[in-house]
Amino acid sequence: MIYLISLIVYVAVFAAGFYVVKKHPQRVERLLGRLCFLGLMIQLLVNYLFWGSAATFNPLATLVSVDRSSVNLMYLALISIFCYASLLVVLFKANDFYNE
């Protein structure tokens, strides 16, 4: 369940980012930064809500510790930060390619 929600949020931010790149080239850097930050905050909220629920990691329940520990929340947060930072870089590169 957490993977589906995370994928939906990520794809929504990705699609909105490409819309911003295409339609608002003069304000793209500020809008993309805010959009990715908003997506990251939503993702961190989702991580916190599903933190420690074994059913969310059902396919990986035997490989991942599903305790409600701060280390697990930190791993989820670091993965989210890396994903949204990568998305921001991809959207900035798309802006460079599209608007040159």
Side-chain angles (χ1 to χ4, degrees), residues 17-44:
F18 267 106
Y19 175 78
V20 167
V21 166
K22 251 184 134 171
K23 297 294 182 182
H24 304 287
Q26 65 276 10
R27 298 180 291 165
V28 71
E29 291 178 3
R30 183 181 54 175
L31 290 174
L32 287 179
R34 287 181 181 175
L35 188 63
C36 286
F37 181 74
L38 179 67
L40 177 65
M41 291 299 112
I42 292 170
Q43 184 62 45
L44 291 176

Side-chain angles (χ1 to χ4, degrees), residues 26-92:
Q26 65 276 10
R27 298 180 291 165
V28 71
E29 291 178 3
R30 183 181 54 175
L31 290 174
L32 287 179
R34 287 181 181 175
L35 188 63
C36 286
F37 181 74
L38 179 67
L40 177 65
M41 291 299 112
I42 292 170
Q43 184 62 45
L44 291 176
L45 178 67
V46 168
N47 289 345
Y48 181 75
L49 292 176
F50 286 102
W51 177 37
S53 177
T56 59
F57 299 103
N58 197 10
L60 303 174
T62 59
L63 302 173
V64 178
S65 172
V66 292
D67 297 339
R68 246 182 112 86
S69 68
S70 59
V71 174
N72 284 347
L73 186 62
M74 182 186 69
Y75 287 148
L76 290 172
L78 287 175
I79 291 168
S80 298
I81 290 168
F82 174 75
C83 290
Y84 280 92
S86 300
L87 178 65
L88 186 62
V89 169
V90 166
L91 290 173
F92 278 158

